[in-house]
Each structure stands twice: as C-alpha cells, then as structure tokens.
Amino acid sequence: MQAKKRYLILLSAGACLVLLFYFGGVQLPASDRNRHDRSHNGNRPDQPWPHFSDPLQQFLLWDQTDTEEYNIHISPRQKRDVNTSVYKGKRCRMDSCFDFSACKKNAFKVYVYPQQKGEKISESYQNILSIVEGSRFYTTDPGQACLFILSLDTLDRDSLSPQYVHNLKTKVQNLHLWNNGRNHLIFNLYSGTWPDYTEDLGFDIGQAMLAKASISTEIFRPNFDVSIPLFSKEHPRTGGDRGYLKYNSIPPFRKYMLVFKGKRYLTGIGSDTRNALYHVHNQEDVVLLTTCKHGKDWQKHKDARCEKDNAEYDKYDYREMLHNSTFCLVPRGRRLGSFRFLEALQAACVPVMLSNGWELPFSEIINWNTAAVIGDERLLLQIPSTVRSIHQDKILALRQQTQFLWEAYFSSVEKIVLTTLEIIQDRVLQQESRSTLMWNSHPGGLFALPQYSAHLGDFPFYYATLGIKPYPKFTAVIHAVTPLVSQSQPILKLLVAVAKSQYCAQIIVLWNCDKPLPAKHRWPATSVPVIVIEGENKVMSSRFLPYETIVTDAVLSLDEDTVLSTTEVDFAFTVWQSFPERLVGYPARSHFWDSNKERWGYTSKWTNDYSMVLTGAAIYHRYYHFLYTNFLPASLRGMVDQLANCEDILMNFLVSAVTKLPPIKVTQKKQYKETMMGQSSRASRWADPDHFAQRQTCMNKFASWFGGMPLVHSQMRLDPVLFKDQVSILRKKYRDIERL
C-alpha cells in the first residue's frame, strides 16, 4: 500500500512538472526570444527604453510576452521560412563571405556594373550610382575593385510597384562577376508587398551585403549588412538643407511635447500601434493624429472612430507641428522604417522610436541614445510620462545631436551613400577604422579620413575634447611662380621676415616656376631650415599637397609677393592656436547671391563683412592639405590647375564645409592689397578682367559640387590687445602692428 502511495505521489509530481514546463517554460519573454547576438543601439533586454547616460525613472513592465494583438499576421515559422528561402547567407559575416584579398592589393575601390540597354532604372537609384561613380572610391576596372554594385535597380522590390524590376533573379545570376554575390553591395528601400510586407527581395542575394531600409534585427547580419534610412525620391541628391535648430533655443521646450501625424491602417500589418495612438492623444501638448483616408477602399473598412479622426487630422498643419514640438513619435508603418524619422531629425524634434525590431540606420557607428528615445510598442501608454521626465538639459543635448547627425550623414542621398561605403571601408581596413568618437562628434566620419591618421590628436577637431593643444610651431609654405633674378624681390624679404618669427619651425619654398631652381647661395641665411622643393607638375593644387616635410600641425600659406612683418606673423599664429580647425589670415573676400543673374558672385571690396580668407597669407591645420588632395574630386582640382586660379577659394569652401564656420580675419591690413597691386609678378593677373570672371565661375562650380554654398559670412576681426589705444608703447606686445 505504501509503495502504491509513493508511486501516485511521484506520478502527480511529474505531471505537475510537465504542466509547469508547458505553461511557464515554453513562453520565453519576447526580449529573450528576439535578443540579438549583440546589444543594438544600447538597448538592454530587461529595460526596453529609454537609455541615457543618466538614469531615468524605471518603467513597470507589463506582459513582456508576445500577444496576438501585437503580433504580425504571419506565424514565426512562416516568417523564418520566407527569410531562409531569400537569405541563404544568413550566417554571412565579413570573415566568412567577403574576399579581402582584392582590397589589400588596390585599397578600397568600388565598381559599378555598366547599365544594360532596355533596363528601366528609377531616378533614386540613378542618383545612387552617379554618386558612387563620382566618389573617390570609384574604379572603372573590375579587376581593381574591392566592392561591386549592380546597375540593376534593386531599390523597390514591392511587386505591386511600377518601379519593380521583373526577372531580377535570372538577370543577376547571368552576371559574370556575380560570384554568388561575394563582395557585392545591394541597395534596397522597399521589400515585400501587401498584405504581409515581408523582407523578401524576390531573388537570392547569396553572399552579398545589404544596404537596406526598414531592416529588422532578425534579418540584419551584424557588421555585414548596413541599415540605411528610408528616404523619398525628393530627398536632395547632394548638399541638403541644414537642420532647423535655432541658436540660443533655451529653454528647449516647444509648444507641443509630443506629436505625430500620419496614416492609420485599418487592416493588415502595422495597424496595431497606430490604431492605439488615440489613447494618449490629449489635444493639448500631446497631439497624435491619424487618418483613415488612404487606399481606394478605405471606406469599406472604416470603423467608428474614422470620421472623428479624419476631422481632427485636418485641423493641424504638419510642418507647424513638426517645428514646434519637443518630441516626435516615429511609429512603424507597413514596414519598420518611416519617412517621419528623417523629418524629425531635420526639425530638431527628438525622435521617439516606436518600431520594435527595427535596426536603426547606421547603428554600427551611431550611438542613437544621444539623439533619440528608443521605445517599445507595448509601452505606448507610458510614453507621455516618460518624455515629460527627461530634464531640459538632456533634451537640449538630444536636439543638438539630431542636428549633427542630420547634417553629417542624412541630409542628402550622397551622404547616405558615402556613409554606407565608409562603414564598409572601415571593416575592410580595420587598422585604419574610425573611432566611435569620430563618428559621433563634429565634423563626423565623412570628414575624418582614417587614411590620414588613426590618432584623434592628429586632427584639429578633437583638441578641445582631448584637452590638448596643437604643436606650438608652424611650417611656412611659400608658393613661388616667378624666377629669382634680384636680391630685392619680395619673396626674399618675406622669407627673412617669416624666419625671424619665434614660432617658425621651417620654411618650404614650393618652386612652381618654369625656370630651374636657384642655387643655394641665392637664398638668404636664416636661423630656421629653408627647404626648396619643386612643385608636382607645376600646377596650382600642388601647393596643397600633404608633403611629408611638413612636420608641424600649423601651415602658414604664403604667396611669393605677400608683404608681412614678423609681428604680424606672430600674432596670426597665436590667434590660430585658439581656433586650430579654422582658416586664420589677413586678406579677406566675400561672396553674395546675384539675384539678377541667379548665381553666386565674388567680391574683393573692403567691407566689414567677409566669408573667405585668401591662402596667400593664411594659417590652417595641415590636415586640410590631406583633405584637399584626397577628399575633393579630381574634376575640381583639375579646374583649378587648368585656370591657374581659384585654389584659395576652393580651400575656403572645403574648410567651411567641414567646420560649418567662417574663417577668422586678423588685423585690417590695407597695404596687403595696395602692395600686391604694385608687384610686377601679379599686376597683370589682378588687373586682368578674365581673372575676376574666372573666380565668379569657380564659385558656382564649387557650390554645385558641394550641393550648396558652404561659405559663412562673418564680421569678426581679431586685433591685438591695446591696438591703437593711447597707452605706452612699452605695454604693447605687438608694437609694430600699430605702425603699419
């Protein structure tokens, strides 16, 4: 009897364990089931959102298991089956599906397949291909290529779209360089179609990398694919508008706390989140508007709320809301990504991401916790209280970061494409890859080229962050274009004056004259080394080559007929030490918009306003030599060399494009202009009307390539303390400047 009781007890206990396992152990929490093999965007599974450097109030997490209400309309098994059939290279990583050998031989070069006759191609994809072909990465030789990009349009893979390319599977497989997609990059904005909108591209991508919008963490292959933002066909090809954060916008609060205006899906995928927004809409500072009016048959599916929602929707102007709200909700649409994302970034409206499972754009390099609030669709009701709890200092920091990210990586198709290529280049050339700080702080990864250096201290942008100062000496580079025939020529006087500067480390004379180099005894004796080198091909751009002989951070660029005293040189250098990322110099010029001719104009009039400092007498960081030579396209440098003009304007465009700031003019010096006009070496050049017309043409050509006018006007001029004040001359450090 006792044995029978023990048997029943054991049987009951076993049954209980089975039931407990079945009801409690099978349903893993959603955060565990969807957990990535790395932490995306800084999210921790135990705390879905938000995450900042300083702690915010904790959430009461309710029901973290997936429910039917929040599930998409296909089962996980169906979804896996679709993904497996399309992404056979699901386990691809750089070390397993990428051939590094070609990249090591020829650096990082990108080949674009020739466009095939009869193949339709969208304007957006044509822009992408043109941007790649105009970049420094492009090669026309597939044998030199590290990366391949299809000419077949893969942007829109919605089979119901008029842009859909049919028979893509066969066309791709027939490409003789395809090699199962190895070392290929595929751009895609839309995938799948109604009603489920899966991530099916309609062909097997093999071992190719994806640069894809709205990509889910389930599909995304870390450090292999690149998540890009969803952008419209109207998105600027180059340049792009600047962000809308106004200066001194403190306190940072706006009219609305949180806004959204968009479609409400009555059926199908993406309907759940948007259908629930009315729960937190209060018609005051939380304004979340949806409309049922979309699609031809929306009235067949309209519910009891549609009429009221539609009426409320029409009361508000979207642009006004966008620019007058502190936070902007970015919920999923039919797909994970949304146009609202880029719109919020540009408007300095902190995005509140509400799209579970979306791999945020450029997540590999961008720390989105510094620019966005990353939410959970299942915690919708807690959003208002959460955003209200964020301190205004944090809000201002978030908004400032939205502006940096917008202008650095998202304001144009060009920046999106180049950022994608730079990310892949960093993977390929790991020893030269950029740091997180470079990607997430001004001026951004596109201007901090790792080929120059992997050390932050070698760039002028990070001195303040690192708490360091530039090297306290400069290298003077004197551009010589006329033969040395007399010991009274201005270049010799200039050389002596510069050599006497206490900050001068060395002088380089760049001999761009057609006559042979003068003998060493023709140059005056100085206390600093004087190095004479012949310019490469005797062209203007050679004055901005990154010569290895330049060992100082600062470069003092001089024309051969510039007249500067030692005191002026010293003062200019001390000013530059406080502004090492900018151009600092004496002769200033300005640009203006000519409304009659509808083009940019160039003026040399002496006014209080300026936007350029000519490199005939200017100091800047030597990194700009590297950028000028390696970042700017050969077409612009070729134009400068052909005209033997405008190199100084191009350098100003480059520095202002990087810094978003004007140059700095020091101490008004009218004799610079008067002296130059009297010099025989340049008199004909400055008096020549074609010279001025060429500079006007250059301005517009450069603005076209940069996608806008990067130059910034300024009225600031820095003078020595006590300059021209009625005090004892002995109290003045730069005494000679007053006598000029």
Side-chain angles (χ1 to χ4, degrees):
M1 179 63 72
Q2 289 181 348
K4 188 175 182 179
K5 287 182 179 180
R6 285 196 297 268
Y7 175 76
L8 289 173
I9 291 171
L10 289 173
L11 183 61
S12 300
C16 290
L17 287 173
V18 170
L19 290 172
L20 284 172
F21 177 78
Y22 182 79
F23 290 107
V26 178
Q27 287 188 318
L28 294 175
S31 57
D32 290 339
R33 195 162 55 248
N34 296 328
R35 182 175 292 163
H36 209 281
D37 57 354
R38 66 178 176 86
S39 179
H40 290 289
N41 313 309
N43 292 348
R44 295 189 303 271
D46 60 334
Q47 185 184 342
W49 73 291
H51 309 295
F52 304 109
S53 56
D54 54 331
L56 297 177
Q57 66 182 37
Q58 295 289 325
F59 294 113
L60 297 176
L61 304 184
W62 60 272
D63 190 14
Q64 290 215 342
T65 62
D66 284 339
T67 64
E68 184 177 351
E69 180 183 3
Y70 283 95
N71 256 325
I72 59 175
H73 295 83
I74 58 174
S75 69
R77 174 175 292 181
Q78 288 175 307
K79 191 172 183 179
R80 283 195 300 271
D81 290 343
V82 171
N83 295 338
T84 303
S85 66
V86 179
Y87 301 99
K88 295 180 180 177
K90 172 68 177 173
R91 298 185 180 277
C92 270
R93 298 296 183 268
M94 293 296 289
D95 57 355
S96 60
C97 294
F98 194 89
D99 182 7
F100 289 85
S101 60
C103 309
K104 293 177 180 177
K105 293 178 185 176
N106 309 303
F108 186 75
K109 294 296 180 182
V110 183
Y111 175 78
V112 177
Y113 282 83
Q115 295 188 25
Q116 302 177 14
K117 290 184 179 180
E119 287 292 342
K120 64 180 181 180
I121 185 169
S122 65
E123 182 180 353
S124 295
Y125 196 60
Q126 184 61 65
N127 285 341
I128 289 176
L129 299 184
S130 298
I131 289 163
V132 176
E133 291 169 352
S135 73
R136 68 183 184 278
F137 303 117
Y138 180 63
T139 179
T140 56
D141 181 4
Q144 300 285 317
C146 170
L147 190 68
F148 297 83
I149 295 177
L150 303 177
S151 62
L152 297 165
D153 192 342
T154 56
L155 279 190
D156 194 340
R157 300 305 298 156
D158 184 337
S159 58
L160 297 180
S161 170
Q163 303 293 340
Y164 184 79
V165 176
H166 295 275
N167 301 320
L168 193 56
K169 179 179 180 180
T170 302
K171 294 172 182 177
V172 169
Q173 294 297 333
N174 288 337
L175 297 173
H176 69 284
L177 296 173
W178 176 242
N179 190 26
N180 194 32
R182 200 171 184 84
N183 286 45
H184 281 66
L185 177 65
I186 295 172
F187 285 93
N188 176 253
L189 293 180
Y190 307 98
S191 61
T193 189
W194 187 89
D196 295 320
Y197 295 92
T198 63
E199 300 187 55
D200 183 1
L201 298 188
F203 70 102
D204 180 13
I205 65 171
Q207 296 179 341
M209 291 180 285
L210 274 176
K212 180 169 170 42
S214 306
I215 191 168
S216 69
T217 55
E218 186 175 354
I219 293 299
F220 184 77
R221 295 166 294 182
N223 299 310
F224 192 71
D225 294 329
V226 179
S227 176
I228 63 174
L230 181 65
F231 58 88
S232 68
K233 61 181 180 180
E234 290 81 21
H235 202 57
R237 181 183 180 276
T238 59
D241 294 332
R242 297 194 67 174
Y244 295 132
L245 180 66
K246 303 209 188 269
Y247 295 108
N248 301 321
S249 55
I250 300 173
F253 295 111
R254 297 177 172 181
K255 178 179 178 181
Y256 304 107
M257 176 59 68
L258 178 70
V259 299
F260 171 76
K261 187 176 184 182
K263 298 174 183 177
R264 176 162 71 87
Y265 305 112
L266 299 170
T267 61
I269 187 173
S271 61
D272 301 309
T273 299
R274 296 196 180 191
N275 280 343
L277 295 183
Y278 77 97
H279 287 296
V280 291
H281 168 67
N282 65 13
Q283 302 183 16
E284 295 176 359
D285 64 340
V286 178
V287 181
L288 308 180
L289 307 170
T290 57
T291 179
C292 303
K293 292 181 180 179
H294 62 88
K296 297 179 180 179
D297 58 349
W298 69 271
Q299 290 186 338
K300 295 180 182 178
H301 304 284
K302 69 178 182 179
D303 55 28
R305 289 202 343 264
C306 278
E307 296 298 333
K308 181 180 179 181
D309 286 355
N310 292 344
E312 188 82 354
Y313 184 90
D314 294 335
K315 290 180 183 178
Y316 293 82
D317 179 75
Y318 175 62
R319 305 297 296 180
E320 189 271 337
M321 290 172 60
L322 192 66
H323 296 124
N324 288 284
S325 181
T326 305
F327 296 92
C328 284
L329 198 66
V330 184
R332 74 161 71 223
R334 292 297 197 191
R335 299 175 177 88
L336 292 171
S338 167
F339 293 127
R340 300 293 182 272
F341 179 68
L342 290 186
E343 292 168 352
L345 279 184
Q346 183 182 12
C349 187
V350 180
V352 178
M353 312 306 301
L354 212 62
S355 184
N356 289 14
W358 181 22
E359 186 74 23
L360 295 185
F362 303 140
S363 55
E364 186 173 335
I365 59 165
I366 294 177
N367 177 13
W368 281 110
N369 291 319
T370 62
V373 177
I374 303 168
D376 190 310
E377 294 175 83
R378 296 162 299 183
L379 303 176
L380 174 63
L381 299 181
Q382 297 186 32
I383 288 178
S385 60
T386 300
V387 295
R388 291 185 204 280
S389 71
I390 301 176
H391 193 271
Q392 66 177 19
D393 292 346
K394 175 58 69 175
I395 292 173
L396 182 59
L398 290 166
R399 291 180 62 197
Q400 289 173 335
Q401 191 67 357
T402 64
Q403 301 303 272
F404 160 67
L405 294 175
W406 163 259
E407 293 180 10
Y409 307 120
F410 298 106
S411 63
S412 68
V413 179
E414 180 185 46
K415 289 178 181 176
I416 293 170
V417 172
L418 293 182
T419 302
T420 301
L421 296 181
E422 294 279 6
I423 289 172
I424 298 173
Q425 181 188 225
D426 272 9
R427 298 173 188 164
V428 172
L429 308 176
Q430 294 182 14
Q431 70 280 7
E432 299 177 355
S433 62
R434 277 152 281 221
S435 68
T436 301
L437 177 61
M438 287 181 172
W439 284 113
N440 288 275
S441 59
H442 184 77
L446 297 187
F447 287 123
L449 301 188
Q451 293 82 1
Y452 174 74
S453 175
H455 177 51
L456 288 173
D458 290 335
F459 296 86
F461 323 115
Y462 309 115
Y463 289 149
T465 302
L466 299 175
I468 61 176
K469 295 181 179 180
Y471 185 73
K473 298 275 187 179
F474 66 80
T475 296
V477 178
I478 303 176
H479 186 230
V481 294
T482 56
L484 192 62
V485 295
S486 168
Q487 292 300 307
S488 62
Q489 282 182 229
I491 187 173
L492 299 181
K493 297 178 181 179
L494 177 64
L495 197 151
V496 171
V498 172
K500 289 181 180 179
S501 170
Q502 59 182 312
Y503 305 112
C504 183
Q506 60 180 349
I507 299 174
I508 297 174
V509 177
L510 179 61
W511 192 253
N512 261 356
C513 178
D514 294 332
K515 301 295 183 181
L517 286 171
K520 288 185 178 180
H521 70 273
R522 301 288 302 277
W523 302 101
T526 60
S527 59
V528 298
V530 176
I531 305 167
V532 183
I533 59 177
E534 288 201 75
E536 187 176 303
N537 301 322
K538 310 288 186 181
V539 294
M540 294 299 290
S541 291
S542 63
R543 71 184 299 177
F544 297 138
L545 286 172
Y547 295 104
E548 293 184 359
T549 48
I550 300 176
V551 295
T552 59
D553 293 331
V555 175
L556 171 60
S557 176
L558 298 165
D559 287 339
E560 62 182 359
D561 50 4
T562 298
V563 178
L564 285 177
S565 69
T566 303
T567 301
E568 289 175 299
V569 171
D570 284 351
F571 177 63
F573 180 70
T574 58
V575 171
W576 176 84
Q577 286 180 303
S578 297
F579 305 94
E581 77 281 9
R582 299 212 225 175
L583 271 171
V584 175
Y586 286 93
R589 300 292 184 265
S590 187
H591 75 285
F592 64 94
W593 177 253
D594 190 332
S595 56
N596 293 325
K597 297 180 180 179
E598 294 188 344
R599 65 199 303 261
W600 292 106
Y602 171 88
T603 178
S604 57
K605 291 182 180 179
W606 288 76
T607 66
N608 289 330
D609 189 272
Y610 67 93
S611 58
M612 289 174 278
V613 166
L614 303 188
T615 55
I619 302 178
Y620 50 81
H621 196 280
R622 64 174 175 169
Y623 177 57
Y624 291 119
H625 276 193
F626 186 87
L627 268 186
Y628 185 99
T629 304
N630 294 282
F631 177 79
L632 294 175
S635 60
L636 294 189
R637 298 197 308 274
M639 179 183 181
V640 164
D641 296 337
Q642 183 180 5
L643 297 175
N645 194 357
C646 304
E647 81 287 352
D648 48 0
I649 298 177
L650 184 54
M651 179 60 87
N652 274 270
F653 268 65
L654 176 62
V655 177
S656 289
V658 173
T659 62
K660 305 292 190 298
L661 296 168
I664 292 178
K665 175 171 174 51
V666 290
T667 316
Q668 189 76 11
K669 180 175 170 50
K670 290 191 176 181
Q671 76 168 9
Y672 180 90
K673 178 181 179 182
E674 295 160 359
T675 306
M676 285 184 62
M677 293 297 288
Q679 295 297 332
S680 59
S681 64
R682 284 232 177 172
S684 59
R685 183 180 177 189
W686 287 96
D688 185 1
D690 289 340
H691 173 79
F692 191 81
Q694 286 174 354
R695 292 173 81 78
Q696 300 266 22
T697 301
C698 288
M699 292 277 292
N700 289 277
K701 181 72 173 179
F702 298 162
S704 175
W705 185 83
F706 279 93
M709 174 53 70
L711 297 178
V712 182
H713 284 281
S714 176
Q715 293 184 349
M716 182 178 73
R717 188 189 79 198
L718 296 185
D719 294 338
V721 176
L722 305 181
F723 178 48
K724 291 188 177 181
D725 281 1
Q726 299 302 315
V727 296
S728 170
I729 193 70
L730 297 177
R731 293 176 58 187
K732 301 182 179 182
K733 183 177 181 181
Y734 302 100
R735 302 169 191 172
D736 293 339
I737 289 182
E738 184 169 348
R739 300 191 180 101
L740 297 176

